[in-house]
Amino acid sequence: MLRSDRQGRILAAILLSDQVKTLSEIAADAGSDLPSVQREVKRLEAGGIVTTERRGNLRLVRAIENEVTHALRRLIAVTYGPIPALRRVVEAYASIREVLVFGSYARRYQGEPGRVPNDIDVLVVTDDYDAYDQFMEQVEQLGRDMGVIINTHRVKTTEWDQSPTPRGFLTTVRNGPTVVIKGDV
């Protein structure tokens, strides 16, 4: 739907944050280079989506609140929002070693064509049941807020570290596309 995946990630970095951001912060959040962010912000400003302000050497970017940005924010939240939102949630959990998105959402996020997924599958690697339960509650609320079903699956660290069986669930996850939320997967 968008001109590029980079555009979607830049829009997510701007529209899904309630903070004014610098171009460098947007680039870091979007995993993009600064010149691309500068060009995209210039287009967004010309289109009435953002406003910018210079403070010294910094260029601050803020979304303009109007009907267009509200609609665009909802679209970006559903398509690009879950990944940064999941990253924000898991930051509070030191005992959760790894989190990754797998399945159809990961395939679309990595550019495989197809229908918009109707859910998001998340694998959590931890031995801390309490942390997992708290994380799962926050993720379920996040899903309700975004209007998407988020399925979480927990696996113990020893199970994840073992060589998986040839046709097991973990092998399927490991061999398919994934998006790393936390860890070294």
Side-chain angles (χ1 to χ4, degrees), residues 3 10 33 76 93 100 126 143 156 174 184:
R3 184 176 58 260
I10 291 169
D33 60 285
I76 294 298
Y93 298 97
L100 59 101
T126 187
K156 294 180 183 178
R174 287 179 194 271
D184 300 329

Side-chain angles (χ1 to χ4, degrees), residues 9 27 42 46 50 52 59 65 90 108 124 129 144 163:
R9 292 176 196 232
K42 186 175 180 178
V50 302
T52 63
R59 189 165 161 206
E65 295 302 320
V90 79
R108 296 306 168 272
V124 180
Y129 286 93
R144 286 190 292 276
S163 180

Side-chain angles (χ1 to χ4, degrees), residues 4-150:
S4 69
D5 182 57
R6 179 180 293 150
Q7 180 190 35
R9 292 176 196 232
I10 291 169
L11 280 166
I14 297 168
L15 294 176
L16 302 181
S17 173
D18 56 357
Q19 300 175 359
V20 174
K21 290 190 171 190
T22 67
L23 294 173
S24 296
E25 289 170 331
I26 295 166
D29 289 351
S32 184
D33 60 285
L34 192 55
S36 294
V37 171
Q38 290 169 325
R39 283 189 303 275
E40 191 58 39
V41 166
K42 186 175 180 178
R43 285 185 196 108
L44 293 171
E45 190 170 28
I49 303 297
V50 302
T51 184
T52 63
E53 173 187 343
R54 287 211 181 268
R55 284 206 191 139
N57 291 334
L58 298 177
R59 189 165 161 206
L60 303 175
V61 180
R62 172 191 339 261
I64 294 173
E65 295 302 320
N66 58 38
E67 287 185 36
V68 173
T69 55
H70 288 292
L72 188 55
R73 184 176 284 122
R74 175 73 181 123
L75 175 65
I76 294 298
V78 171
T79 54
Y80 285 91
I83 299 302
L86 286 167
R87 287 187 177 130
R88 282 191 300 276
V89 170
V90 79
E91 286 175 354
Y93 298 97
S95 62
I96 293 179
R97 192 179 87 185
E98 297 176 41
V99 177
L100 59 101
V101 172
F102 65 98
S104 60
Y105 190 88
R107 288 193 301 276
R108 296 306 168 272
Y109 192 82
Q110 292 184 0
E112 182 180 303
R115 292 177 168 248
V116 174
N118 59 359
D119 67 351
I120 300 170
D121 294 305
V122 178
L123 183 74
V124 180
V125 180
T126 187
D127 294 323
D128 186 340
Y129 286 93
D130 291 333
Y132 172 74
D133 288 343
Q134 292 170 14
F135 175 75
M136 186 177 68
E137 286 178 23
Q138 285 187 286
V139 167
E140 287 174 351
Q141 183 60 51
L142 176 68
R144 286 190 292 276
D145 292 346
M146 295 181 130
V148 65
I149 298 167
I150 303 177

